[in-house]
């Protein structure tokens, strides 16, 4: 059974993804992410709904 979307494949080694965010108030915000990583022989345990707390840079 396949997935309904194409998943990008990256070369072995570290991969960094960024997503710009904009502060619209002085309150703290939380970002919730889920991710997983595999190579040709094994997969790491997926991380589901990890909360990253963002605070003001001012």
């Amino acid at each position: 059974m396949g997935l309904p979307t194409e998943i990008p494949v990256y070369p072995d080694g570290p991969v960094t993804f960024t997503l710009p965010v904009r502060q619209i108030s002085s309150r703290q915000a939380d970002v919730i992410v889920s991710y997983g990583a595999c190579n040709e022989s094994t997969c790491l345990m997926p991380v589901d709904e990890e909360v990253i707390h963002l605070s003001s840079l001012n």
Side-chain angles (χ1 to χ4, degrees), residues 23-48:
Q23 181 179 351
I24 59 173
S25 76
S26 61
R27 296 172 44 192
Q28 177 177 309
D30 294 335
V31 175
I32 301 171
V33 298
S34 298
Y35 57 91
C38 296
N39 63 23
E40 290 185 18
S41 61
T42 189
C43 289
L44 298 176
M45 290 292 294
V47 175
D48 189 35

Side-chain angles (χ1 to χ4, degrees), residues 1 7 9-10 12 18-19 21 26 28 31 36 51 53-54 56:
M1 173 182 265
I7 297 175
V9 176
Y10 300 92
D12 286 348
T18 60
L19 178 65
V21 294
S26 61
Q28 177 177 309
V31 175
V51 177
H53 303 285
L54 303 177
S56 172

